[in-house]
Amino acid sequence: MTDSPPLELTPRMEPVIQSVLAENALLHQLADGLGSPLNIVLPEALAPNVESFRAVYRRHRLRGHIYFAHKANRSAALLRQLAATEAGVDVASLAELQHALGAGFTPDRVIATGPKNREFLWLAARTGVLVNADSLDEVSELAALVAVDRLPRVRVMVRLSGFASHGVRLISRRSRFGVPADRPAEALDRLEKHADQLELVGVAYHLDTIGQPEKAVALEGCLAAIDECRRRDVGAWSIDIGGGFGVNYLADAGQWERYTSELAQAVLGRRPPMTWNGHGYGLRNEGGTLRGALGLYPAYRPVSGPGYLDQLLATPAPEQRRPLGELLLDSMIDLDIEPGRALLDQCGLVLSRVLEVRTESSGLLVRLEMNARDVSLEEHGVLMDPVLVGRAEDEPTEVFLLGNLCLESDLITRRKVTLSARPRPGDLLAFVNTAGYFMDFSATAALRQPIGRKVALYRDDGRWGWCLDEQYWPVHERTEAA
Ligand SMILES: Cc1ncc(COP(=O)(O)O)c(C=O)c1O
């Protein structure tokens, strides 16, 4: 087997990220002063993402809220900047709700999702945010809290799951969240019982998939549930379709196709290994036949984010056969969405210092001052190459990236990545477009290794300025404009 040319997976980078990466001296200063890994968030990249989603609403003549799913990043800077846009926020814990209120979101811009404990329900009821109920017990617990404290009626949505489409025999995946979609009457009975405490405004779903057919079934199921409400004279008017619009991480479709087909060849032993210990990302070689399924996020996704929403709304409903967007419009139903990952597209990067570069039989090994949980690309199955900061392009070089934990398993990613030159100790690697889930979702202080600090970069008089994440407030541009 001859050596093959390096397989690159070049991340898609919009001008905002390119401009940050050009600040070699600043990035080195920040990593020297604040340590490695270092998380960088870019609040200015948020507003265009919100606007792109809103443009889809305009195209389909629909109304509704765009709630940012806070869980995708803990950053205060990003949340405060979002508060300065028209977006709302989806909070899935008591602390996220407190954070959102403190970041400047008024209660009418907040939706509480996911399973909730009593304290979370209490603060939601007290502040009057919209509660997306995860179960009927939650509905009753919320009603009891409202009744005991004689609070104003709380607006609620009911999350449904387990949708089925009869005509085309399609079902949505099983979920441990939500009320069974085939039993809307039970939910309505429960809400009727608590009519003095709760006001039903609509129904919701969130499906952990990128598959559009399943989402079309779920959306049509929600339309049927709203019809049922209206038949019973309950004035529900909105459907919340959750998140899962996705991001296109790679610049080039061809690279992705080449990479995945070469990976299959490597698993079959027909080319040199591309991964640590021949890991197949779900593929395996059974006596010369390729088996299994590639368990990776499709890193090149030409239709993602707002484009994905547009496509879903143009999709014919499986039973009624008319575009879902048209059905929503005709029934005068508001469409609410909860994008996490997609609203954070291009909103941040993670920097890591190179500690050591050594050659072994397995290849060139690069040890970083970070671990796999500091940038959990592997956990989410997203493959893209890091960028070597401030180094001129040279010979593309394949390396394995090792983490700083004393664990065999601590590889930043199990595949060889391709760098634009041979790295040297002291270099900085940038893992770009990692604000959505990769930056702080899984970070731990294992072995007492530090969790990366977070800074916000913003443009000040045409130059990049920075501050600690918690010190960022979106006041700069406003003062300048005044
Ligand atoms: C209820 C709910 N809404 C929204 C989201 C955000 O999903 P995404 O970041 O894929 O858009 C999630 C993610 O888990 C979720 O559970």
Side-chain angles (χ1 to χ4, degrees):
M1 251 179 298
T2 52
D3 272 357
S4 323
L7 288 162
E8 290 165 279
L9 288 177
T10 312
R12 195 187 114 246
M13 290 184 276
E14 296 295 327
V16 60
I17 290 204
Q18 288 167 6
S19 160
V20 168
L21 288 176
E23 298 284 334
N24 181 31
L26 174 64
L27 297 181
H28 274 273
Q29 253 171 28
L30 288 172
D32 288 347
L34 297 167
S36 167
L38 181 68
N39 298 322
I40 293 180
V41 292
L42 303 169
E44 73 164 54
L46 282 166
N49 293 345
V50 176
E51 171 47 31
S52 304
F53 272 105
R54 184 54 74 197
V56 176
Y57 276 76
R58 280 197 295 273
R59 202 165 312 132
H60 293 267
R61 293 183 291 143
L62 291 172
R63 291 163 30 125
H65 292 275
I66 300 167
Y67 296 109
F68 164 60
H70 185 1
K71 59 173 73 73
N73 198 301
R74 288 183 225 167
S75 163
L78 292 175
L79 208 65
R80 291 168 189 168
Q81 186 70 46
L82 264 175
T85 71
E86 57 126 319
V89 59
D90 148 20
V91 293
S93 71
L94 173 67
E96 284 191 357
L97 173 55
Q98 290 173 285
H99 193 206
L101 295 170
F105 286 92
T106 45
D108 56 318
R109 296 171 65 194
V110 181
I111 184 168
T113 64
K116 303 162 198 74
N117 65 11
R118 183 160 301 176
E119 293 77 5
F120 186 14
L121 286 173
W122 182 88
L123 189 61
R126 272 276 145 196
T127 51
V129 307
L130 173 59
V131 174
N132 188 340
D134 200 56
S135 67
L136 295 188
D137 285 352
E138 201 171 88
V139 166
S140 297
E141 194 173 4
L142 178 64
L145 286 169
V146 174
V148 166
D149 287 353
R150 294 175 201 275
L151 295 173
R153 285 210 304 167
V154 171
R155 292 166 303 130
V156 293
M157 292 191 123
V158 177
R159 177 168 172 178
L160 304 174
S161 65
F163 299 88
S165 179
H166 305 293
V168 280
R169 280 208 274 135
L170 234 162
I171 49 171
S172 68
R173 67 198 47 223
R174 269 165 59 108
S175 167
R176 66 190 180 90
F177 304 107
V179 174
D182 58 354
R183 303 211 303 263
E186 219 177 297
L188 287 174
D189 290 346
R190 185 75 64 103
L191 283 152
E192 241 162 46
K193 196 171 135 203
H194 301 301
D196 289 342
Q197 289 82 37
L198 307 177
E199 178 195 6
L200 182 71
V201 302
V203 291
Y205 73 83
H206 167 79
L207 293 182
D208 196 9
T209 173
I210 56 170
Q212 287 223 344
E214 279 184 70
K215 292 196 177 170
V217 169
L219 184 41
E220 190 170 33
C222 285
L223 282 160
I226 294 277
D227 281 348
E228 173 72 17
C229 294
R230 291 180 174 172
R231 264 195 298 278
R232 288 175 62 156
D233 250 358
V234 179
W237 63 83
S238 57
I239 295 178
D240 180 334
I241 63 169
F245 303 97
V247 160
N248 179 22
Y249 288 105
L250 294 185
D252 177 0
Q255 281 188 350
W256 180 244
E257 277 155 30
R258 250 188 328 276
Y259 187 89
T260 45
S261 53
E262 289 292 315
L263 181 65
Q265 295 303 306
V267 169
L268 289 172
R270 295 184 191 148
R271 74 162 333 272
M274 294 156 61
T275 55
W276 191 257
N277 285 340
H279 179 68
Y281 288 108
L283 299 177
R284 57 184 194 278
N285 179 355
E286 274 183 21
T289 306
L290 194 66
R291 297 256 191 250
L294 201 57
L296 289 172
Y297 189 90
Y300 181 80
R301 287 188 60 184
V303 180
S304 59
Y308 182 98
L309 175 63
D310 195 23
Q311 201 174 67
L312 178 65
L313 294 173
T315 300
E319 289 186 21
Q320 298 193 52
R321 307 288 169 101
R322 287 183 55 214
L324 288 158
E326 268 182 42
L327 293 174
L328 287 165
L329 183 65
D330 285 356
S331 308
M332 290 191 292
I333 295 174
D334 283 1
L335 176 74
D336 296 341
I337 56 173
E338 300 164 1
R341 188 191 294 274
L343 277 182
L344 294 183
D345 187 23
Q346 306 291 314
C347 289
L349 53 140
V350 178
L351 290 181
S352 173
R353 190 178 288 107
V354 171
L355 291 176
E356 181 193 9
V357 180
R358 66 175 198 267
T359 308
E360 294 213 347
S361 57
S362 48
L364 194 60
L365 306 189
V366 174
R367 186 160 55 88
L368 298 183
E369 199 159 17
M370 70 163 4
N371 60 64
R373 308 198 98 187
D374 289 319
V375 62
S376 47
L377 289 168
E378 183 79 357
E379 196 178 310
H380 295 263
V382 173
L383 308 187
M384 52 179 166
D385 293 328
V387 178
L388 201 44
V389 176
R391 293 274 312 273
E393 282 199 14
D394 192 6
E395 191 71 13
T397 307
E398 287 185 321
V399 306
F400 281 116
L401 298 175
L402 315 181
N404 62 3
L405 298 184
C406 184
L407 283 181
E408 291 288 358
S409 60
D410 187 27
L411 287 133
I412 305 299
T413 153
R414 284 175 285 191
R415 70 187 189 91
K416 274 182 198 158
V417 300
T418 302
L419 302 179
S420 55
R422 188 186 165 97
R424 298 187 287 247
D427 278 342
L428 282 181
L429 289 190
F431 295 83
V432 303
N433 206 5
T434 42
Y437 297 106
F438 307 116
M439 184 171 276
D440 58 22
F441 196 86
S442 308
T444 67
L447 271 73
R448 296 185 66 83
Q449 293 284 15
I451 292 179
R453 289 198 173 88
K454 197 176 280 156
V455 296
L457 258 60
Y458 55 89
R459 278 187 247 235
D460 191 9
D461 233 356
R463 299 169 58 178
W464 283 107
W466 71 274
C467 65
L468 291 174
D469 178 68
E470 62 272 20
Q471 266 163 335
Y472 178 91
W473 288 94
V475 290
H476 310 279
E477 55 223 88
R478 257 139 249 268
T479 357
E480 272 163 30

